[in-house]
Structure formats: structure tokens, C-alpha cells
């Protein structure tokens, strides 16, 4: 295997990357993007127009120039027939991720930890980002350097998406996607989104993301391009950390054009859903890396999230304490209210609470309080739905998840938990459709291990044991502290006649769910149908759980 393939395989597998290799990985991402564009040229060589070819090659060229740049000011010799500004690379945000273990962190100080987002994959990192556009004068600052805005905490601008279609009359599609993305992101109530009127002042101008961050007071920039060829539409989107000038997320979406408005909705909903967890992860990591300065409710809340997403008993206790501390400083701050309800509910059904019933009571009160503080905050309705799901309030649970989706159609967790409610009510087909939609909205979400059991359970109830085993084991491999998927996998293995595999997996399950009575207690809190519960218990008994 070539060194490029070795590096790509290592990066894709989520292996920890040393500081010395960070710049190499940044170049690797830029080279990969350029190769993707060139691959498109090869795929469509028989239909591509000269003007579109020029645009694609120009974009690939800019990525390759960025890949070979050094972290010192240097002149870049332009390729023949082009005009390019200087490009220099810059330090990247280092994020290393890996599966959660049952062990405690090596240090109690989050600012010293490198494993900042358990259960996920390493974030893509890119070379310095500079919008390249020939024959356009340098952008003039919308706000002078002296008057630049201070950076907001979770803040983003959606820059006008570029139209790279061979038919230049397609700009309306790119503009529609830009406007709808701005509107969709604005539905995340804890996120400041710059208005489209300000964002469109950057149209057709070269820009530097750090400069935009200073001018608009934002931490993140979303930019991209739209290319239409016949009935095919391709959207490339890139999320950039304006402070570090590095890629946090890059994705390409290909669709066949049917109904224009439906297609536009599909693109914007998918992009908004995918970048939301990347933004929240970046905020958690940013706060955890830096020393706490004073009593700041936002920073304390973010540190609580850092512990929450590690999903261990010890971190759950720490997260609860931090959320309570944030609320003591600001009782009307809806985010820690909703998140404390969620962490208390999790602790109850995972067996991490001394008295689960007290946890459920307080969690329900907190969730109701979060909704009353901000009725348009989707996570507040989600928190109420979660607690109701575990406390036999199934109608309110379903309506709460649906209200979260109504407020923000890109809110992936609500889709998945609404799927779980359909599963528990005996509608596994509906559960599969909703769970797949939620996962499609945020396919790299750090909560994916929580969502996969919805798929596993639905397939199990339909007696699709192979699919149930696959989804259940995938959930457990992402986080071995989370037993739900493993239960379905063990039961599915046993009923599929794979007894030896079932017994081996059962040994792991017993570390989390020691006996059948504990499992049955959890299932009775969820399923309405006794037959569905017995189906799961029969599989676990066949594997040897008693």
C-alpha cells in the first residue's frame, strides 16, 4: 500500500495523530479534495463543457496550491492564465477521538485532555482556506479592523454558495440554498447566524476566513458551491473554523433533480443537520482546551457537555455538577436546564443513580421548566420527550419529539427518538424509516451509538436478525458503555442459531446488564406490547442470560 493510502486508512480509522503529523494530514485533506474534483472530470469527460471544466480545474488547482504551501509568508507562482492571491497554511485545531472506555480520564483537567469527543471519528482538517476568484479585486472590509466585532460564542455566517454550473443562469439555485441554509441554522436557538444580507456582500470577492471572523465577529464560516448538469445537481459544502482557518467538515451531496423546491429542502436540511454536531463538538473542545476564566455560565455549560459526551458514570456525575453550577449563575439559561434533565434521565435508566425514581421526577420537572423558559428551543422539547419516554408518558413523548422536529427539521436526535417511540408502540417499519432519516441527517454524530439501537430493535422485532445484529454490534463498538444495541445483538445471535457468538457477546453484556430482571425492568418502561418484550427476553435466555 502507498504512503498516501496508509495515511488515508489511518485517518479514516480514527487513529490518534501526533502533533508532528498535523500539517501532513491537512495537506492530505486538500489533496483528497482535489483528487475528487479531478475524478469528476474523468467520470464526465464525455459531457463536460469547457467553461465548467475550467471552473473545476481552477478549484482543484487552489486546493493543490494550499496543500503545498508552508506556514510562512510566501509568493505563489500562478499557473499560466490564472491570477491567484498568496496562500499560506496555518496551525490547525487538533482533535483526537476514540471510543469511550469504562476507565476514567488520565487527568481531571479537561484542558489537558486530547480525547475530546468520545465515540466519534477524527475531524477532517484542511489547509488554509482562501476563496480564489480570478479577475475580481480584493475584498474591502465591511467593518474596519479598528471596529471589528468581538467574536460571539457559537456563531456562523453562510457565505453565498458559488454557481459552478456550465449554464450560468443557475445562480438562483445556489442563492436559494444559501438563503435556506441561513434560515435552517437560525432555528438552532443557541446559535447566532449572520443575516443573508450581510453575507451576500461577500459574493464574488476573494476572502480570508480569519478576516471574515474578525469583521463579523463569528467563529465559523460555511461556504460551498453548486453545480448542475442536466438532471444532476452536486453541492459541495465546507465548514471552516474562522479562528484556526481550518476545515471542520467537508461533504459532497449528489442528487437527481425532480422537484426543485424538494431538492433544495433536501440539501439544506441535510447540511444543517450534519454541521450542527460538528459545531457543538468544536465548542466543547474549544472550552475544554482552555483554562476556565472566571465564573462564566456558558463555559461551565460547555465543560459539562464535554463530560456528558464521555458517557461514563463518573463523567455523568461531573456533568450534573457543572450544569447545576451554570444554572446557579443563570436560572433562565435553557440549555443547561434541558441538558441536566437529559443527563439525570440517562443516569436513571443506565443504573448510575442511587434512586432512579428521584432522577426521573427531577428530570421531568427540569424538562418542563426548559420548555417554559424557551418554548421555541428544540432541545427543551427533546429533553421532555426523552423523560416522558422513560416514564410511561408515551403520547407526550411523541408530541414532544414531533414539536422539536417542527421547530427544526434538521434536528436529528428527535427523528431517531420518535422512531424509538414507534418501535415501542409496535410499528417497526415506521421506526426504521424515521431512524434512517435521523442518521442520514447527521451520519457522523457523536450520539450515533445511541441511535443505532432504534434500527437494531426495529429489525429484531421484524425478525431481520442479521440487520439487528449488525446495527447492534456497531452501536456497541462505538461505545462499550452503552448496552442497548448489544442486547438486540445478543438476542439476535441466539435466535439466528449463532449460539457460540451469542455467548461470547453475552459476557460483555453482563458487565453492563448483569441479569434478566434488570433488562426486563428497562424494557417494561418502554414497550407497550408484552409480546415484543418476551421476544427480546427469549433471545437473551437462549444466549444464557438468567
Amino acid at each position: 500500500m502507498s504512503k498516501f493510502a496508509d495515511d488515508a486508512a489511518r485517518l479514516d480509522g480514527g487513529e490518534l495523530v501526533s502533533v508532528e503529523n498535523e500539517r501532513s494530514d491537512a495537506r492530505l485533506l486538500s489533496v483528497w479534495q482535489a483528487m475528487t474534483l479531478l475524478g469528476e472530470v474523468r467520470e464526465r469527460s464525455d459531457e463536460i463543457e469547457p467553461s465548467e471544466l475550467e471552473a473545476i480545474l481552477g478549484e482543484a488547482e487552489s486546493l493543490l496550491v494550499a496543500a503545498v504551501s508552508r506556514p510562512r509568508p510566501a509568493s505563489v507562482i500562478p499557473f499560466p492564465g490564472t491570477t491567484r492571491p498568496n496562500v499560506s497554511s496555518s496551525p490547525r485545531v487538533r482533535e483526537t477521538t476514540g471510543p469511550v472506555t469504562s476507565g476514567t480520564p488520565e487527568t481531571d483537567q479537561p484542558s489537558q485532555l486530547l480525547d475530546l469527543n468520545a465515540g466519534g471519528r477524527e475531524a477532517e482538517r484542511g489547509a488554509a482556506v482562501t476563496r480564489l476568484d480570478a479577475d475580481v479585486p480584493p475584498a474591502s472590509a465591511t467593518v474596519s479592523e479598528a471596529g471589528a466585532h468581538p467574536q460571539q460564542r457559537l456563531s456562523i455566517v453562510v457565505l453565498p454558495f458559488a454557481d459552478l454550473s456550465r449554464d450560468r443562469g443557475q445562480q438562483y439555485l445556489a442563492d436559494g440554498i444559501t438563503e435556506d441554509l441561513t434560515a435552517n441554522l437560525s432555528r438552532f436557538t443557541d446559535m447566532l447566524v449572520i443575516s443573508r444580507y450581510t453575507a451576500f456582500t461577500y459574493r464574488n470577492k476573494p476572502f480570508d476566513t480569519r478576516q471574515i471572523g474578525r469583521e463579523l465577529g463569528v467563529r465559523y464560516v460555511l461556504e460551498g458551491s453548486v453545480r448542475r448538469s442536466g438532471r444532476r445537481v452536486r453541492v459541495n459544502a465546507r465548514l471552516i473554523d474562522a479562528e484556526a482557518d481550518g476545515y471542520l467538515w467537508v461533504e459532497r451531496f449528489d442528487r437527481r433533480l425532480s422537484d426543485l423546491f424538494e431538492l433544495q429542502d433536501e440539501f439544506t436540511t441535510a447540511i444543517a443537520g450534519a454541521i450542527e454536531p460538528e459545531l457543538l463538538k468544536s465548542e466543547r473542545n474549544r472550552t475544554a482546551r482552555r483554562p476556565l476564566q472566571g465564573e462564566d455560565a456558558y463555559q461551565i455549560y460547555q465543560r459539562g457537555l464535554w463530560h456528558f459526551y464521555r458517557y461514563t458514570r463518573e463523567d455523568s456525575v461531573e456533568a450534573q455538577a457543572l450544569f447545576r453550577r451554570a444554572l446557579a449563575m443563570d436560572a433562565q439559561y435553557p440549555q443547561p436546564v434541558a441538558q441536566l434533565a437529559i443527563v439525570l434521565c440517562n443516569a436513571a435508566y443506565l443504573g448510575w443513580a442511587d434512586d432512579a425514581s428521584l432522577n426521573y421526577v427531577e428530570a421531568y420537572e427540569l424538562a418542563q421548566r426548559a420548555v417554559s423558559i424557551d418554548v421555541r428551543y428544540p432541545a427543551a422539547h427533546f429533553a421532555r420527550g426523552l423523560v416522558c419516554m422513560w416514564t410511561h408518558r408515551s403520547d407526550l413523548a411523541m408530541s414532544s419529539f414531533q414539536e422539536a422536529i417542527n421547530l427544526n427539521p434538521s434536528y436529528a436526535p428527535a427523528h431517531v427518538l420518535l422512531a424509538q417511540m414507534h418501535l415501542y408502540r409496535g410499528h417497526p417499519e415506521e421506526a426504521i424509516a424515521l431512524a434512517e432519516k435521523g442518521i442520514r441527517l447527521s451520519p457522523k454524530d457523536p450520539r450515533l451509538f445511541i441511535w443505532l439501537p432504534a434500527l437494531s430493535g426495529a429489525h429484531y422485532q421484524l425478525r431481520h436478525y442479521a440487520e439487528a445484529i449488525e446495527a447492534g454490534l456497531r452501536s456497541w463498538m462505538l461505545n462499550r458503555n452503552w448496552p442497548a444495541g448489544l442486547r438486540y445483538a445478543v438476542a439476535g445471535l441466539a435466535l439466528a442459531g449463532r449460539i457460540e457468538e451469542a455467548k461470547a457477546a453475552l459476557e460483555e453484556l453482563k458487565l453492563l446488564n448483569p441479569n434478566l430482571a434488570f433488562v426486563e425492568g428497562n424494557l417494561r418502561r418502554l414497550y407497550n406490547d408484552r409480546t415484543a418484550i418476551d421476544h427480546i427476553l427469549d433471545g437473551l435466555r437462549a444466549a444464557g442470560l438468567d
Side-chain angles (χ1 to χ4, degrees):
M1 183 182 289
S2 67
K3 185 178 185 303
F4 181 92
D6 276 332
D7 287 344
R10 177 167 51 81
L11 190 61
D12 183 62
E15 181 179 323
L16 300 183
V17 182
S18 66
V19 174
E20 291 77 11
N21 287 337
E22 286 185 24
R23 197 167 292 115
S24 173
D25 290 333
R27 295 191 188 100
L28 178 63
L29 178 58
S30 290
V31 171
W32 175 80
Q33 292 171 307
M35 294 302 291
T36 299
L37 290 171
L38 295 176
E40 180 184 352
V41 172
R42 287 194 298 272
E43 291 172 8
R44 301 174 50 216
S45 58
D46 58 338
E47 63 179 64
I48 199 164
E49 294 290 331
S51 59
E52 186 180 5
L53 176 62
E54 181 181 356
I56 296 173
L57 293 178
E59 191 174 348
E61 174 196 328
S62 68
L63 288 164
L64 291 172
V65 168
V68 299
S69 299
R70 295 292 187 266
R72 57 179 174 81
S75 297
V76 178
I77 301 174
F79 286 83
T82 65
T83 303
R84 303 291 183 203
N86 292 348
V87 181
S88 61
S89 63
S90 57
R92 302 286 159 224
V93 175
R94 181 164 190 248
E95 293 182 1
T96 55
T97 62
V100 179
T101 65
S102 57
T104 56
E106 294 180 4
T107 171
D108 292 332
Q109 298 299 322
S111 59
Q112 299 174 3
L113 294 174
L114 298 178
D115 183 8
L116 294 177
N117 194 66
R121 296 163 73 90
E122 183 165 350
E124 294 178 297
R125 296 186 295 270
V129 181
T130 303
R131 182 68 166 270
L132 305 176
D133 206 330
D135 305 320
V136 176
S140 58
T142 57
V143 181
S144 68
E145 286 294 322
H149 297 293
Q151 277 198 348
Q152 300 292 325
R153 283 168 170 153
L154 180 50
S155 47
I156 189 171
V157 59
V158 182
L159 295 179
F161 273 45
D163 173 33
L164 301 182
S165 305
R166 55 189 174 188
D167 177 4
R168 293 304 179 185
Q170 302 300 311
Q171 182 64 52
Y172 70 91
L173 178 57
D175 288 351
I177 288 174
T178 305
E179 293 185 20
D180 284 358
L181 270 173
T182 301
N184 281 12
L185 291 173
S186 298
R187 296 188 181 192
F188 294 103
T189 54
D190 47 356
M191 186 186 308
L192 173 73
V193 184
I194 298 298
S195 79
R196 67 186 182 91
Y197 301 104
T198 296
F200 271 80
T201 64
Y202 291 89
R203 185 205 289 281
N204 297 328
K205 296 177 181 178
F207 65 76
D208 175 84
T209 50
R210 283 198 176 112
Q211 180 183 351
I212 287 180
R214 290 191 297 269
E215 289 177 357
L216 301 181
V218 297
R219 282 186 175 171
Y220 305 100
V221 173
L222 180 65
E223 58 110 20
S225 61
V226 180
R227 185 179 298 120
R228 177 177 176 180
S229 178
R231 306 300 295 176
R232 294 179 60 203
V233 180
R234 170 170 294 174
V235 173
N236 287 288
R238 295 170 286 275
L239 178 64
I240 304 161
D241 184 324
E243 184 179 280
D245 199 17
Y247 291 113
L248 292 174
W249 172 88
V250 178
E251 192 59 83
R252 184 180 78 184
F253 301 85
D254 287 299
R255 300 289 189 273
R256 299 286 300 180
L257 179 60
S258 53
D259 180 273
L260 183 60
F261 290 112
E262 286 183 6
L263 180 70
Q264 193 167 303
D265 282 345
E266 185 177 354
F267 278 133
T268 55
T269 301
I271 293 171
I275 70 169
E276 188 253 357
E278 298 294 337
L279 290 166
L280 297 181
K281 179 177 70 176
S282 179
E283 287 295 288
R284 293 194 301 273
N285 293 347
R286 182 192 299 271
T287 301
R289 277 192 298 268
R290 297 178 177 180
L292 186 63
Q293 298 180 358
E295 290 290 293
D296 184 296
Y298 177 82
Q299 289 190 45
I300 291 169
Y301 166 64
Q302 290 294 331
R303 284 174 182 261
L305 284 179
W306 186 91
H307 285 283
F308 171 76
Y309 276 98
R310 292 179 66 80
Y311 290 104
T312 70
R313 183 171 190 151
E314 295 80 7
D315 284 288
S316 173
V317 172
E318 185 64 25
Q320 292 174 44
L322 287 164
F323 294 144
R324 293 185 192 280
R325 184 174 162 192
L327 287 176
M329 285 181 276
D330 185 352
Q332 297 302 305
Y333 189 1
Q335 282 88 340
V337 179
Q339 203 61 46
L340 182 56
I342 292 170
V343 74
L344 286 171
C345 187
N346 285 359
Y349 65 74
L350 288 170
W352 294 346
D354 294 332
D355 188 332
S357 61
L358 291 179
N359 272 45
Y360 286 127
V361 169
E362 185 181 6
Y364 181 71
E365 292 173 352
L366 286 163
Q368 291 283 64
R369 177 178 158 194
V371 172
S372 67
I373 292 173
D374 187 352
V375 72
R376 297 197 59 78
Y377 182 38
H381 294 276
F382 173 83
R384 182 170 66 181
L386 176 68
V387 179
C388 289
M389 185 175 78
W390 284 95
T391 55
H392 305 292
R393 299 177 174 99
S394 60
D395 288 340
L396 184 54
M398 295 190 78
S399 63
S400 295
F401 293 137
Q402 187 60 59
E403 182 60 20
I405 293 169
N406 293 343
L407 290 168
N408 187 349
S410 298
Y411 195 58
H415 288 277
V416 179
L417 265 71
L418 185 58
Q420 288 184 316
M421 290 306 304
H422 279 284
L423 168 62
Y424 303 145
R425 287 193 159 194
H427 309 128
E429 293 90 352
E430 291 90 335
I432 289 173
L434 279 164
E436 288 179 341
K437 181 175 182 179
I439 292 170
R440 188 166 63 250
L441 282 171
S442 187
K444 298 180 182 178
D445 200 287
R447 297 162 290 190
L448 187 59
F449 67 91
I450 301 175
W451 301 351
L452 284 167
L455 271 182
S456 183
H459 281 297
Y460 182 88
Q461 294 297 346
L462 290 170
R463 289 162 173 74
H464 302 160
Y465 295 129
E467 292 86 348
I469 293 164
E470 180 184 2
L473 289 179
R474 186 180 170 202
S475 167
W476 180 69
M477 290 298 291
L478 286 172
N479 188 335
R480 300 193 182 193
N481 290 318
W482 200 262
L486 188 57
R487 291 175 192 160
Y488 293 120
V490 170
L493 285 166
L495 295 186
R498 297 158 61 178
I499 297 298
E500 293 305 315
E501 293 174 77
K503 289 183 180 298
L506 179 62
E507 294 306 310
E508 298 291 342
L509 180 61
K510 285 180 177 178
L511 298 176
L512 303 167
N513 290 174
N515 55 59
L516 208 60
F518 180 88
V519 175
E520 183 175 1
N522 270 349
L523 294 177
R524 290 179 65 180
R525 280 191 168 273
L526 300 171
Y527 280 90
N528 293 350
D529 183 3
R530 182 67 210 190
T531 303
I533 296 174
D534 289 340
H535 181 202
I536 300 168
L537 297 179
D538 288 345
L540 294 174
R541 285 193 190 94
L545 188 64
D546 52 26

